[in-house]
Amino acid sequence: MAEKITHRSKDYSEWYNNIIEEAGLAEHSAVKGCMVIKPHGYAIWERMQSVLDGMFKATGHVNAYFPLFIPKSFFSKEASHVEGFAKECAVVTHYRLKNAPDGSIVVDENSKLEEELIIRPTSETIIWNTYKGWVQSYRDLPLLINQWANVVRWEMRTRLFLRTTEFLWQEGHTAHATAEEAVEETKKMLDVYTDFVENWLAVPVIKGVKTANERFAGAIETYCIEAMMQDGKALQMGTSHFLGQNFAKAFDVQFADKEGKLEYVWATSWGVSTRLMGALVMAHSDDQGLVIPPKLAPHQVVIVPVYKENEELQEISETANKIKKSLEARGVRVLYDDSDKQRPGWKFAEYELKGVPVRIVIGLRDLANGTVEMVRRDTKTKHVVPLDQLENTVVETLDLIQTNLYQTALAFREAHTFSVDTWDEFKEKIDHGFVVAHWDGTTETELKIKAETKATIRCIPLDNAQEKGKCIYSGKPSTQRVIFARAY
Amino acid sequence: MAEKITHRSKDYSEWYNNIIEEAGLAEHSAVKGCMVIKPHGYAIWERMQSVLDGMFKATGHVNAYFPLFIPKSFFSKEASHVEGFAKECAVVTHYRLKNAPDGSIVVDENSKLEEELIIRPTSETIIWNTYKGWVQSYRDLPLLINQWANVVRWEMRTRLFLRTTEFLWQEGHTAHATAEEAVEETKKMLDVYTDFVENWLAVPVIKGVKTANERFAGAIETYCIEAMMQDGKALQMGTSHFLGQNFAKAFDVQFADKEGKLEYVWATSWGVSTRLMGALVMAHSDDQGLVIPPKLAPHQVVIVPVYKENEELQEISETANKIKKSLEARGVRVLYDDSDKQRPGWKFAEYELKGVPVRIVIGLRDLANGTVEMVRRDTKTKHVVPLDQLENTVVETLDLIQTNLYQTALAFREAHTFSVDTWDEFKEKIDHGFVVAHWDGTTETELKIKAETKATIRCIPLDNAQEKGKCIYSGKPSTQRVIFARAY
């Protein structure tokens, strides 16, 4: 099994594709740039959705659903927004097919739309056009709404989960009476994302703001969380945008304040997507396959029986089902695989590939000894565990794995983050991870560095230490260091 | 509040629109034919999704996700399928916008797609093209996969929830080694839908099969459940299709059986959609607003305090929060509305409009008496309930409401179902509900009856009694009665 996977050290990109294929997470579809999310991948995504959805609701948000289509004219209303998305829009122009005289199926030219419809690449425009009807007075505010949806951004070069033409995501769109409240919301949702990514996905992140050049099209300020993958590259895990009054002005959304004075509404939007699935693969997996943080694993424990005769299986199953039941009572998600289609060795490799955090193996000799074998997916260590200690041991082990994955990723990031002060050092270290360096604050310099090294400014960390220095590239004065990296 | 709602007896269609608007379920969007599902509507849909998803998983199904886009050529591969859907397909022809010389935004003609993409109206074709890669041997079968997704069918005349260009649904697509197993799956999922609609949505249904004329495009047999709305019209609540080997042949999906012989795979598909939201409104609501079956209500109980001074509120809140906590411990979903934005009378009307099954009103006088007022949404009866009996009374009342809604709908259907034997009777009774009558089994007669009366054959009930008779329209021999109705 493991020989199907190229080693990380040999070809990271090929390793990534192998994991996704062999673990059954996703595959390319017949439609260029679009993926099929396979059952195992979708089960992990469902766990992510369910946890995030709970966090959104706990912070006062509700879900709603807005149309897939956006009239072309809406798009043009916010200038920088259309500028940012125009080049990657799927456009619907007709609404009917017909039979051609030769019997083939063709687009019916008589069904041409008067105004073309854009498949949403993000929903600010259609949502703010709707909010216009929902907001009259300060009593109608805030609106705290989230949407789970598919979006389309036409991509020329795609990678499963990381960059696909269609992807799944959630987009929060909130409306507020004051700028302060909107900024507070923007930061609150960045904190929610941080909590989720660090404590569930087990990936440490750096919170920061984007430079003007990397900002969301239509935002005043884009907050983000950035993580390091095992090849030292950065992956943006989520963004939260303070949109000011840009969309309220574009769609004329005003409210009467307590004094009856009309004001434009303040906006935020925030999102995470199936990219997080790519991060999960790239942050934790190894050369044997996928590694899933226990809190997100569809099955946290798999029990595999080892037997020769059917009578043996019955005896083992009795114990296995007891274990399953007692673990489930503790909230653990357990799969007992007693199918006779495959041998135990095949199953061991299969569940290793699929990233199940804990494997329990039960044979007759174990039963006689009152023990089972427990194997950790992260460390691959084997433990002989007495049956009467198994329940507690498994629960503790799941916690240990969760913590270990986070700590390992954190140690990796720290070992691959370099504070540098010369351009030569910059060019050397940028091949190996994050580079923390002074920058003169101009887009010009940022773009030149990108052109020379393919590195971008990932973020200006929140609460960044202020120190005087010289820009790593231009030598001009700088007030702080920012984080450079190559990114997905 | 209630005066915003047209009475059912006066204008049923206007009443339906009023309920949806006033209860905050949905609204028309700026995109023709597409709706916005508002937070209250979406919360009910989320409950439906969650319950159905649990039922699908309990019957061995897993979720996955397939692309939004279907290449036009895929569509043409199954002849009757494309015939059925060609006239309502949204077509993507370009993938980029650009600035015109005059500054406006136009479609970039250089981004024309070589092959147009259809937005999925249903996913059989893209899914069976994918299954081709997943099925080699009998060991790979069955595939039991479901997808939650948005689909698009271009509609000229739309009604919120009942008929919209974009709608949300689930579509199950399964693959089997034998025809028998596929038929069994088709019936099993019809039973799951029946369970959900009768026991959760509280709507009685008739299980049956469609006539050839009403069959799904590409199916061998379409099973369905049909319900009666309060105006006597039928609404198809869900369908489950036995697709035979039609799609396996169109996409060349074969498997090696135990003897190594290649066979085409057998298929089913089955779906329910946001139409169920329309059914929920039309089956149970009244002239005061929405009525939600307790098992699907986002909030099953609302507690409203009645007070003059702030100190009074504190005292009431103490009791209210205790009630909330004790009910939540019994699994009841409770909202305590202590906001001071609106008066109690406004709140009573608002939650009646929104369909919350039970309202609890607490004032100081109640507290002194050790009682509260409890109001049932379905019967509007008021009950003075001692505090120490409240928990049990509420739990019992929620059950009673659930049962009452079902029984009321069943009694209504029975009172509006007519077995008739003459064409004159048929024409008279078809204005008032379901008509059960003999039919000669031909599409010709079926279409003539439709042309004259707008009534369609809703289904041939499963296990239908066989009796000799004469077709209500043609007078030709018939072996059984079928169900005619006007339908949504």
Side-chain angles (χ1 to χ4, degrees):
Chain A
M1 199 66 64
E3 67 269 21
K4 291 184 191 166
I5 297 177
T6 302
H7 282 214
R8 275 168 294 183
S9 54
K10 204 174 157 200
D11 185 339
Y12 191 80
S13 168
E14 188 58 22
W15 166 81
Y16 176 77
N17 293 335
N18 290 165
I19 298 275
I20 288 179
E21 185 182 342
E22 296 298 327
L25 299 182
E27 65 183 38
H28 293 286
S29 77
V31 182
K32 198 176 164 299
C34 291
M35 64 180 163
V36 172
I37 306 180
K38 298 175 78 173
H40 188 44
Y42 201 83
I44 302 171
W45 174 242
E46 275 183 311
R47 287 277 310 149
M48 292 192 187
Q49 280 192 297
S50 152
V51 173
L52 279 166
D53 197 68
M55 289 178 166
F56 299 156
K57 284 175 178 157
T59 43
H61 301 84
V62 291
N63 289 327
Y65 188 77
F66 298 86
L68 173 69
F69 299 125
I70 300 178
K72 196 189 67 184
S73 57
F74 282 25
F75 233 68
S76 321
K77 287 196 180 179
E78 213 289 332
S80 61
H81 191 69
V82 66
E83 177 71 24
F85 288 104
K87 288 185 181 152
E88 48 187 46
C89 284
V91 188
V92 175
T93 54
H94 295 76
Y95 58 83
R96 200 162 58 217
L97 300 173
K98 66 170 187 181
N99 286 304
D102 67 357
S104 68
I105 305 289
V106 296
V107 174
D108 184 345
E109 285 305 327
N110 290 328
S111 74
K112 195 169 193 306
L113 289 169
E114 264 183 60
E115 181 181 6
E116 297 91 346
L117 296 172
I118 311 303
I119 314 244
R120 62 182 165 218
T122 180
S123 302
E124 278 77 6
T125 56
I126 188 81
I127 287 181
W128 277 87
N129 184 70
T130 308
Y131 281 180
K132 185 175 169 54
W134 295 2
V135 177
Q136 277 87 40
S137 107
Y138 71 95
R139 283 191 203 85
D140 302 319
L141 295 173
L143 291 174
L144 303 174
I145 294 180
N146 176 61
Q147 162 169 278
W148 290 97
N150 54 342
V151 287
V152 170
R153 298 179 186 175
W154 207 271
E155 296 283 354
M156 288 305 166
R157 285 181 305 171
T158 56
R159 300 198 63 186
L160 290 167
F161 289 123
L162 297 176
R163 194 175 293 278
T164 50
T165 290
E166 182 192 17
F167 57 91
L168 304 183
W169 79 345
Q170 59 70 218
E171 46 182 325
H173 295 274
T174 69
H176 306 267
T178 65
E180 293 67 37
E181 197 184 298
V183 170
E184 194 187 317
E185 165 80 7
T186 313
K187 290 179 177 171
K188 181 196 285 175
M189 297 323 288
L190 193 74
D191 287 342
V192 165
Y193 289 154
T194 303
D195 180 11
F196 174 75
V197 172
E198 297 204 322
N199 297 319
W200 293 79
L201 205 45
V203 176
V205 296
I206 295 166
K207 295 200 268 187
V209 294
K210 289 287 183 191
T211 62
N213 179 56
E214 297 276 340
R215 209 173 271 156
F216 176 77
I220 304 290
E221 191 84 273
T222 288
Y223 293 78
C224 63
I225 47 177
E226 297 281 330
M228 184 185 287
M229 303 296 105
Q230 288 181 75
D231 60 350
K233 282 197 192 174
L235 183 66
Q236 176 181 295
M237 308 290 280
T239 48
S240 184
H241 314 292
F242 171 55
L243 303 173
Q245 296 173 313
N246 290 350
F247 287 92
K249 284 180 179 166
F251 290 90
D252 192 29
V253 187
Q254 298 187 69
F255 72 102
D257 68 13
K258 283 184 181 170
E259 284 75 42
K261 214 180 89 193
L262 282 181
E263 301 268 11
Y264 284 105
V265 175
W266 298 86
T268 85
S269 68
W270 29 273
V272 296
S273 73
T274 35
R275 278 205 119 188
L276 291 179
M277 291 291 299
L280 183 143
V281 172
M282 289 208 297
H284 302 307
S285 298
D286 60 24
D287 295 338
Q288 279 70 50
L290 186 65
V291 175
I292 315 176
K295 286 162 90 172
L296 291 179
H299 290 120
Q300 299 172 300
V301 174
V302 60
I303 305 175
V304 179
V306 178
Y307 63 97
K308 282 181 188 146
E309 309 295 334
N310 251 343
E311 294 149 30
E312 295 175 31
L313 176 62
Q314 281 178 24
E315 200 181 327
I316 293 170
S317 291
E318 206 174 296
T319 303
N321 284 319
K322 267 188 212 156
I323 296 172
K324 184 168 191 279
K325 211 173 156 186
S326 76
L327 284 172
E328 283 174 347
R330 295 282 293 270
V332 179
R333 297 181 290 280
V334 183
L335 172 70
Y336 174 41
D337 182 355
D338 61 351
S339 90
D340 56 3
K341 280 190 184 172
Q342 305 288 355
R343 292 167 166 281
W346 187 94
K347 291 181 186 176
F348 296 168
E350 177 69 8
Y351 293 113
E352 201 164 81
L353 257 184
K354 292 203 156 163
V356 180
V358 167
R359 178 173 81 228
I360 293 173
V361 184
I362 313 182
L364 275 192
R365 203 181 308 168
D366 299 308
L367 284 191
N369 294 335
T371 62
V372 298
E373 184 183 78
M374 186 189 82
V375 187
R376 275 176 69 157
R377 175 63 186 88
D378 59 338
T379 56
K380 285 165 221 100
T381 47
K382 292 182 181 181
H383 309 262
V384 175
V385 184
L387 270 172
D388 59 2
Q389 294 170 29
L390 185 62
E391 191 186 309
N392 284 336
T393 306
V394 167
V395 170
E396 281 159 23
T397 302
L398 291 171
D399 278 349
L400 286 175
I401 297 174
Q402 184 79 28
T403 307
N404 180 45
L405 292 179
Y406 179 84
Q407 291 299 340
T408 304
L410 182 61
F412 183 89
R413 189 186 78 191
E414 285 172 354
H416 293 80
T417 298
F418 312 98
S419 187
V420 309
D421 291 305
T422 70
W423 183 238
D424 280 343
E425 264 188 295
F426 185 103
K427 285 186 291 184
E428 189 217 321
K429 295 298 186 193
I430 202 69
D431 288 338
H432 304 289
F434 288 3
V435 171
V436 186
H438 276 282
W439 165 59
D440 64 19
T442 68
T443 299
E444 193 193 346
T445 297
E446 189 180 359
L447 293 177
K448 281 182 182 167
I449 293 175
K450 186 176 178 183
E452 281 194 41
T453 65
K454 291 184 182 157
T456 49
I457 298 177
R458 301 317 304 155
C459 70
I460 304 162
L462 294 188
D463 310 320
N464 207 16
Q466 299 297 298
E467 64 171 49
K468 283 187 184 166
K470 283 182 183 173
C471 174
I472 195 80
Y473 187 85
S474 69
K476 290 182 187 161
S478 153
T479 59
Q480 60 183 345
R481 291 171 185 271
V482 297
I483 296 173
F484 290 88
R486 300 211 178 96
Y488 282 97
Chain B
M1 199 68 61
E3 66 269 23
K4 291 182 190 168
I5 296 176
T6 303
H7 281 214
R8 275 167 295 183
S9 54
K10 205 173 154 199
D11 184 339
Y12 192 79
S13 168
E14 188 59 20
W15 166 81
Y16 176 75
N17 293 335
N18 290 165
I19 298 275
I20 287 178
E21 184 182 343
E22 296 298 326
L25 299 182
E27 66 184 38
H28 293 287
S29 77
V31 183
K32 196 173 166 299
C34 291
M35 64 180 160
V36 171
I37 306 180
K38 299 176 77 172
H40 188 45
Y42 201 83
I44 301 171
W45 174 242
E46 275 183 310
R47 287 278 310 151
M48 292 192 187
Q49 279 192 299
S50 153
V51 173
L52 280 166
D53 197 68
M55 289 178 165
F56 300 155
K57 284 175 178 158
T59 43
H61 301 83
V62 291
N63 288 327
Y65 188 77
F66 299 86
L68 172 69
F69 299 124
I70 299 177
K72 197 188 67 184
S73 57
F74 281 26
F75 233 68
S76 320
K77 287 195 180 178
E78 213 289 331
S80 61
H81 190 69
V82 66
E83 177 72 23
F85 288 104
K87 287 185 182 151
E88 48 188 46
C89 284
V91 187
V92 175
T93 54
H94 295 75
Y95 59 81
R96 201 163 56 218
L97 301 173
K98 66 171 186 181
N99 285 304
D102 68 356
S104 68
I105 305 289
V106 296
V107 173
D108 184 346
E109 286 303 329
N110 289 327
S111 73
K112 195 168 193 305
L113 289 169
E114 264 182 59
E115 181 181 6
E116 297 91 345
L117 296 173
I118 311 304
I119 313 241
R120 61 182 165 218
T122 179
S123 302
E124 278 76 6
T125 56
I126 187 82
I127 287 180
W128 277 87
N129 184 69
T130 308
Y131 282 180
K132 183 175 170 54
W134 295 2
V135 177
Q136 278 86 41
S137 108
Y138 71 95
R139 283 193 201 84
D140 302 320
L141 296 172
L143 290 175
L144 302 174
I145 294 180
N146 176 61
Q147 162 171 280
W148 290 97
N150 54 342
V151 287
V152 170
R153 298 178 186 176
W154 208 271
E155 296 283 354
M156 288 306 165
R157 286 182 305 172
T158 57
R159 300 198 65 185
L160 289 168
F161 290 124
L162 297 176
R163 196 174 291 277
T164 50
T165 290
E166 182 193 17
F167 58 92
L168 304 183
W169 79 344
Q170 60 69 218
E171 46 182 325
H173 295 273
T174 69
H176 305 267
T178 65
E180 294 67 37
E181 195 185 300
V183 170
E184 193 187 317
E185 165 80 7
T186 312
K187 291 180 178 170
K188 181 196 285 175
M189 298 323 290
L190 193 75
D191 287 342
V192 165
Y193 289 154
T194 302
D195 179 11
F196 176 74
V197 172
E198 297 204 324
N199 297 319
W200 293 78
L201 205 46
V203 176
V205 296
I206 295 166
K207 296 199 267 187
V209 295
K210 289 288 183 190
T211 62
N213 180 56
E214 298 276 340
R215 209 172 273 156
F216 175 75
I220 304 290
E221 191 84 274
T222 288
Y223 293 78
C224 63
I225 47 176
E226 297 281 329
M228 184 185 287
M229 302 296 103
Q230 289 182 74
D231 60 350
K233 281 197 190 173
L235 184 65
Q236 175 181 296
M237 307 291 280
T239 48
S240 184
H241 314 292
F242 170 55
L243 303 173
Q245 295 174 312
N246 290 350
F247 287 91
K249 284 179 180 166
F251 291 90
D252 191 29
V253 187
Q254 298 187 69
F255 72 100
D257 68 14
K258 282 183 184 173
E259 286 74 42
K261 213 179 89 194
L262 282 180
E263 300 269 11
Y264 284 106
V265 175
W266 298 85
T268 86
S269 69
W270 29 274
V272 297
S273 73
T274 35
R275 279 204 119 189
L276 290 179
M277 291 290 300
L280 184 143
V281 172
M282 290 207 297
H284 302 306
S285 298
D286 60 25
D287 294 338
Q288 280 69 50
L290 187 65
V291 175
I292 315 176
K295 286 163 91 172
L296 290 179
H299 290 121
Q300 299 172 302
V301 173
V302 61
I303 306 175
V304 179
V306 178
Y307 63 98
K308 283 182 188 146
E309 308 294 333
N310 251 343
E311 294 148 32
E312 295 175 31
L313 177 61
Q314 281 176 24
E315 201 181 327
I316 294 169
S317 290
E318 206 173 299
T319 303
N321 284 318
K322 266 187 212 156
I323 296 171
K324 184 171 192 278
K325 212 173 154 186
S326 76
L327 285 172
E328 284 174 347
R330 295 282 293 269
V332 179
R333 296 180 291 278
V334 183
L335 172 70
Y336 174 40
D337 182 355
D338 62 350
S339 91
D340 56 3
K341 281 189 184 172
Q342 306 287 355
R343 292 165 166 283
W346 187 94
K347 291 180 186 175
F348 297 169
E350 176 70 8
Y351 293 113
E352 201 163 82
L353 211 39
K354 292 204 156 163
V356 180
V358 166
R359 178 172 81 229
I360 293 172
V361 184
I362 313 181
L364 274 192
R365 203 181 306 168
D366 299 309
L367 284 192
N369 293 336
T371 62
V372 298
E373 184 183 80
M374 185 190 80
V375 187
R376 273 175 69 154
R377 175 63 188 87
D378 59 337
T379 56
K380 283 166 222 97
T381 47
K382 292 183 182 181
H383 309 262
V384 174
V385 184
L387 270 173
D388 59 3
Q389 294 170 30
L390 185 62
E391 191 186 308
N392 284 335
T393 306
V394 167
V395 171
E396 282 159 21
T397 303
L398 291 171
D399 277 350
L400 287 174
I401 297 174
Q402 184 79 28
T403 307
N404 181 44
L405 292 180
Y406 179 85
Q407 291 299 341
T408 304
L410 182 61
F412 184 88
R413 188 187 78 190
E414 285 172 353
H416 293 80
T417 298
F418 312 98
S419 188
V420 309
D421 293 303
T422 70
W423 183 237
D424 280 343
E425 263 188 296
F426 185 103
K427 284 187 290 185
E428 188 216 321
K429 294 300 186 192
I430 201 70
D431 288 337
H432 304 288
F434 288 1
V435 171
V436 186
H438 276 282
W439 165 60
D440 63 20
T442 69
T443 299
E444 192 192 346
T445 297
E446 188 180 359
L447 292 177
K448 281 182 181 166
I449 293 175
K450 186 176 179 183
E452 279 194 44
T453 64
K454 291 185 182 158
T456 49
I457 299 177
R458 301 317 304 153
C459 69
I460 304 162
L462 294 187
D463 309 320
N464 208 16
Q466 299 296 300
E467 63 172 51
K468 282 187 185 169
K470 284 182 183 173
C471 174
I472 195 80
Y473 187 85
S474 68
K476 290 182 187 161
S478 153
T479 59
Q480 59 183 346
R481 291 171 184 271
V482 298
I483 297 173
F484 290 89
R486 299 209 180 98
Y488 283 97

